[in-house]
Amino acid sequence: MAAQTRPKRPFRWHIAVFLAPAVLVYTAIMILPLAGTLQLSLFRNVDQAQIFVGLDNFRTLFGDPNWSVNFWNALRNNVWFFIIHMLVQNPVGVLLAAILSSPRLRFAAFYRTAIFVPTILSFVIVGFAWKLILSPLWGVAPHLLDFVGLKSLFTPWLGKEQYALTALSLISVWQFIGIPMMLIYAALLSIPEEVLEAAECDGITGLSQFWKIKLPLILPSIGIISILTFVGNFNAFDLIYTAQGALAGPNYSTDILGTFLYRAFFGFQLQVGDPNMGATIATIMFLIILGGVCVYLFLIQTRLRRYQF
């Protein structure tokens, strides 16, 4: 008997048609600029001509004191900016979500809205508002601390090198804490009631139920929030620029990779912009973010899948 041939599956043209607009837009605003940035980092402007120099721009960024000092300072500050978000924003977001998910809490919808509202505010509004609040001359922070008898604790946090970056990090935490809160809140609501009822039958209630039952089940969501925090923090720019300017004062103490990239690429005051070195810094930022995302996807997410339903 002749072997029966399977009929060919028809090509699903409608899939390509529906994906084409999104692919074209993503390519135009993401892929092409990224490729252009990577290409620009491998060239240098010599006598009004772009000369291919390979990795020399990266060697200059890492080894030339005119560049490396500011680069390593910005990288350290960016790491500290990220650590504060991981240690403050995400744990507090989980705590708020756990409290707001309690059926016994009254006015939970109002609290959720109030906490989430700063997330939709403009960086410009947040930056200038907090500069006014923390101002030692006309800010309300000294008066509020004086009202509770703690005025001795006030200091111009945005004006001192040792406090400025931490203060701005906490302002950023205040603005964006609503995002992890809402994501964890949604994850808690998605836990099946049968699981919680079985835990209650076994005598696991209250705080013990959260640690033993709910927390392991929301670990995948916490992992996603962590990687989103990592990507967002290493792309940060707006708040620092709004509050402290392009020089990220005082004395570059709040300088992060985003502000360093801005000054390198476009120039500022007496500093002439260098698009090639700016592209080199942008490439390093891309590689840092790509490395962090790959570590999460291949090392962490695979271990968290066993907690998913």
Side-chain angles (χ1 to χ4, degrees):
M1 295 178 62
Q4 295 181 352
T5 58
R6 295 182 179 179
K8 293 184 178 180
R9 297 179 60 184
F11 184 77
R12 300 180 179 178
W13 290 99
H14 64 282
I15 296 179
V17 171
F18 284 117
L19 287 179
V23 171
L24 290 176
V25 172
Y26 186 79
T27 301
I29 66 175
M30 294 294 293
I31 302 300
L32 292 180
L34 176 60
T37 300
L38 298 177
Q39 179 184 7
L40 193 61
S41 67
L42 301 177
F43 288 79
R44 184 174 296 169
N45 192 350
V46 179
D47 296 331
Q48 304 300 321
Q50 290 291 320
I51 306 300
F52 179 78
V53 295
L55 300 178
D56 281 354
N57 289 334
F58 295 91
R59 297 189 187 98
T60 300
L61 182 63
F62 295 144
D64 188 343
N66 293 325
W67 290 95
S68 61
V69 173
N70 286 333
F71 170 73
W72 294 115
N73 173 64
L75 182 59
R76 285 193 300 269
N77 290 340
N78 224 144
V79 171
W80 179 243
F81 191 76
F82 166 67
I83 289 175
I84 291 180
H85 281 77
M86 284 296 294
L87 296 182
V88 179
Q89 176 180 281
N90 293 346
V92 174
V94 173
L95 176 62
L96 291 174
I99 295 174
L100 293 176
S101 64
S102 174
R104 300 183 181 89
L105 181 66
R106 300 179 61 186
F107 308 112
F110 169 78
Y111 298 139
R112 289 197 306 270
T113 304
I115 296 172
F116 191 79
V117 162
T119 304
I120 63 177
L121 295 178
S122 167
F123 286 100
V124 177
I125 295 175
V126 173
F128 279 108
W130 277 99
K131 284 190 68 174
L132 293 174
I133 292 172
L134 299 179
S135 172
L137 297 178
W138 52 76
V140 299
H143 302 289
L144 292 177
L145 290 175
D146 187 29
F147 182 75
V148 295
L150 298 176
K151 189 176 182 179
S152 60
L153 299 178
F154 178 79
T155 186
W157 289 295
L158 295 180
K160 291 190 175 182
E161 295 182 24
Q162 63 269 36
Y163 301 129
L165 182 61
T166 302
L168 286 172
S169 302
L170 294 176
I171 292 173
S172 179
V173 167
W174 168 83
Q175 182 179 9
F176 291 108
I177 199 170
I179 294 178
M181 179 200 71
M182 293 303 294
L183 291 176
I184 296 299
Y185 177 77
L188 289 172
L189 293 183
S190 68
I191 298 176
E193 289 293 334
E194 295 81 2
V195 175
L196 301 180
E197 291 174 358
E200 292 177 357
C201 292
D202 291 336
I204 304 176
T205 58
L207 188 60
S208 178
Q209 184 183 90
F210 176 81
W211 286 107
K212 295 180 179 180
I213 305 298
K214 294 182 179 180
L215 184 61
L217 293 176
I218 64 174
L219 281 180
S221 297
I222 294 177
I224 293 174
I225 292 170
S226 299
I227 197 62
L228 291 176
T229 303
F230 175 80
V231 174
N233 289 165
F234 277 88
N235 274 323
F237 167 77
D238 311 72
L239 181 62
I240 305 295
Y241 180 80
T242 301
Q244 303 295 86
L247 292 178
N251 194 25
Y252 300 106
S253 61
T254 59
D255 195 20
I256 58 177
L257 293 175
T259 52
F260 181 49
L261 164 64
Y262 175 85
R263 294 196 310 274
F265 197 101
F266 298 103
F268 189 74
Q269 293 181 350
L270 299 179
Q271 178 181 340
V272 179
D274 188 340
N276 299 104
M277 290 303 298
T280 303
I281 299 169
T283 301
I284 295 298
M285 294 172 62
F286 168 73
L287 294 177
I288 291 173
I289 294 173
L290 179 63
V293 172
C294 289
V295 168
Y296 168 76
L297 291 178
F298 296 108
L299 296 181
I300 299 177
Q301 189 183 45
T302 53
R303 298 183 179 182
L304 294 179
R305 285 177 181 172
R306 63 177 180 267
Y307 295 109
Q308 295 178 339
F309 296 109

